[in-house]
Amino acid sequence: MKRNRFGARDRLSREAAELQRLANGLSESSSKIEDSYWEELLAGVVDGLLNNGGEEDLSAALERLFDKNPRAHDELADIIESRAESFRFESGGKTYDVLLFAAPLLAWSRFSIASGTLPESLLRDLSVQLGAHVFARDARIALVNYLFSPDQLPRAYCDTQHLTRKLGTAALRGTHVAIDTGCMAETNRFLSDARYLIGAITVPARAPLFRWHENDGDKDVALKDWQRQGGANLESLLTGCAWELQLPNAYHAACRDTDRQSRPYSLRASVAFLQTALGIEASDIRAFVGPCYDDREVEEYRVGLGPLSGEEVYHGIVWPLLGNEDENSDIAGEIETLLRETGVKEVLFLDHRFPMEFCDDCSAPMFPNAEGELVHAQMPEDTASHAGPTLLH
């Protein structure tokens, strides 16, 4: 997931100021031993804030560093994420490491993409496949009994840490974790979207975490085996969907990787959707690509897909900029390459500074057309009632 900027108070608290000081020190470190010194001090302050619900202090320090010292911001963000998604504890005279993980999948459908509570039998089957193909032999696994949409993932660092600790102790006991779904955000319906299986592993301290950490393990093989065996377990949930399992990984890294992977996946899904809904070839589709700006910075590219002739836009894709990407990144070239790989031959790049414009009635994003205007995507009348959702997450 992209690291977001947070609203910060005008004056930093003592804890937030200390985080800023330590992160600056770490960013200026010149040796590994000095790194360890600053990291240990930072971890102590971060742990205290996570344990005491100090989300505002964490956010305020990140916000201040984002503008003043981007390198220190990234160092602090790495420490916070690490302390939120992992910890070490003792039980029965032994020491264990715990890591929160996400197992993502990308899917698209003209109908709804499943999310929600998972039965105990499916959790057992999935944990067996994860243990066999993804995680190290000594790993004990606990899963949350829910398939999350992106809007339902824990975002606050304190909430993430709480879930990590709950799952870590459950893994040691050999149980899974049921969550209260009463206050869960509603899943919006999109043509293409991600879903996440969330869990934690508990391993003996300093032992391998993943299968590819072991001498006979291989990352590519682990992914293929998980896609084949884990996919068979999930098939009944994803009826009517095209979908693709991603490699499970540490929680924050997996979410960020999925954010990136979802962009090309969504673009390919959109072309396939139009081919299926309209009964046409990809070569019959024309793409219009334009950057959208918020104030002075480009925030995303929007891609309108329509017929070879005319001004209509049948469908649209939002391609957000992530991480360090900016207007100097070759996003347009990447989009063009992907479109041509799908079979779209006519790609029109519009040299405009489009605003971040949305429909006043339904709040859907507007997409560029052949005339360089932002318009509402609209399927032809004879197919609109059967086409399903026309937005991408």
Side-chain angles (χ1 to χ4, degrees):
M1 67 187 74
K2 185 177 182 179
R3 286 170 174 165
N4 295 321
R5 299 184 63 175
F6 302 88
R9 295 164 294 188
D10 291 337
R11 296 185 63 183
L12 290 179
S13 67
R14 182 180 62 183
E15 291 81 3
E18 180 67 358
L19 285 176
Q20 182 175 313
R21 182 185 74 83
L22 296 174
N24 284 326
L26 178 57
S27 71
E28 297 168 359
S29 172
S30 58
S31 66
K32 194 67 177 177
I33 193 168
E34 188 181 357
D35 288 349
S36 298
Y37 169 78
W38 291 114
E39 287 169 358
E40 184 175 351
L41 292 176
L42 260 176
V45 179
V46 169
D47 285 348
L49 291 170
L50 289 172
N51 291 332
N52 295 304
E55 191 76 27
E56 288 189 6
D57 291 320
L58 296 170
S59 299
L62 287 170
E63 171 70 13
R64 196 65 63 90
L65 288 170
F66 187 92
D67 294 321
K68 292 187 174 181
N69 189 340
R71 182 175 176 181
H73 167 274
D74 289 347
E75 296 282 11
L76 177 58
D78 286 342
I79 294 289
I80 295 173
E81 289 180 359
S82 173
R83 307 307 289 188
E85 70 184 13
S86 64
F87 71 100
R88 178 170 290 173
F89 74 105
E90 291 187 4
S91 178
K94 298 180 179 179
T95 306
Y96 298 92
D97 287 329
V98 173
L99 177 68
L100 185 72
F101 70 85
L105 66 89
L106 296 171
W108 77 270
S109 178
R110 294 174 61 179
F111 311 102
S112 61
I113 302 172
S115 65
T117 303
L118 302 175
E120 183 70 24
S121 59
L122 179 56
L123 295 177
R124 287 197 301 268
D125 292 341
L126 289 170
S127 62
V128 168
Q129 298 304 332
L130 286 166
H133 306 302
V134 177
F135 295 113
R137 293 182 179 88
D138 291 334
R140 305 186 193 184
I141 302 168
L143 298 172
V144 178
N145 70 332
Y146 201 86
L147 189 63
F148 292 80
S149 71
D151 294 329
Q152 296 170 329
L153 291 171
R155 294 286 176 175
Y157 294 117
C158 293
D159 292 342
T160 303
Q161 188 232 31
H162 176 73
L163 183 60
T164 301
R165 292 184 176 274
K166 191 173 184 178
L167 281 164
T169 54
L172 191 60
R173 296 194 304 266
T175 61
H176 299 295
V177 170
I179 60 171
D180 180 11
T181 61
C183 57
M184 189 73 70
E186 184 177 350
T187 300
N188 292 314
R189 191 179 175 196
F190 295 94
L191 171 69
S192 176
D193 210 351
R195 294 291 182 265
Y196 298 85
L197 184 68
I198 304 298
I201 55 170
T202 297
V203 299
R206 302 176 184 86
L209 300 168
F210 294 96
R211 183 73 182 88
W212 53 88
H213 292 171
E214 298 172 317
N215 292 335
D216 60 343
D218 182 274
K219 203 169 189 178
D220 292 334
V221 172
L223 174 58
K224 291 177 182 177
D225 289 344
W226 166 239
Q227 288 176 331
R228 184 178 67 255
Q229 301 293 341
N233 293 129
L234 289 167
E235 194 166 4
S236 61
L237 287 178
L238 297 165
T239 303
C241 297
W243 52 283
E244 181 181 299
L245 282 176
Q246 305 295 295
L247 188 68
N249 207 345
Y251 176 74
H252 291 97
C255 291
R256 271 195 295 274
D257 288 344
T258 303
D259 282 347
R260 290 188 176 276
Q261 293 299 321
S262 66
R263 300 182 303 181
Y265 184 88
S266 296
L267 191 148
R268 290 191 291 266
S270 297
V271 175
F273 162 68
L274 288 180
Q275 290 179 267
T276 302
L278 302 178
I280 61 176
E281 298 295 327
S283 57
D284 297 322
I285 299 170
R286 181 166 53 159
F288 320 107
V289 184
C292 289
Y293 287 76
D294 184 8
D295 295 328
R296 289 179 292 180
E297 294 184 355
V298 60
E299 291 289 331
E300 62 192 30
Y301 282 76
R302 294 187 184 178
V303 183
L305 300 177
L308 288 177
S309 60
E311 301 176 10
E312 300 95 332
V313 172
Y314 292 157
H315 189 72
I317 306 105
V318 174
W319 185 291
L321 270 60
L322 301 174
N324 295 325
E325 294 174 343
D326 57 27
E327 59 186 2
N328 296 315
S329 305
D330 189 20
I331 303 300
E334 184 177 354
I335 293 173
E336 180 180 13
T337 298
L338 287 164
L339 284 166
R340 297 198 184 282
E341 287 176 355
T342 67
V344 175
K345 295 181 178 179
E346 189 165 340
V347 182
L348 178 63
F349 290 93
L350 302 168
D351 189 17
H352 292 57
R353 294 175 63 92
F354 291 106
M356 303 276 288
E357 192 168 334
F358 297 84
C359 175
D360 293 334
D361 295 326
C362 68
S363 300
M366 311 285 272
F367 297 98
N369 68 1
E371 300 300 316
E373 302 169 339
L374 290 178
V375 299
H376 203 300
Q378 184 66 49
M379 292 290 286
E381 289 185 5
D382 57 342
T383 60
S385 61
H386 306 289
T390 59
L391 295 179
L392 299 164
H393 203 148

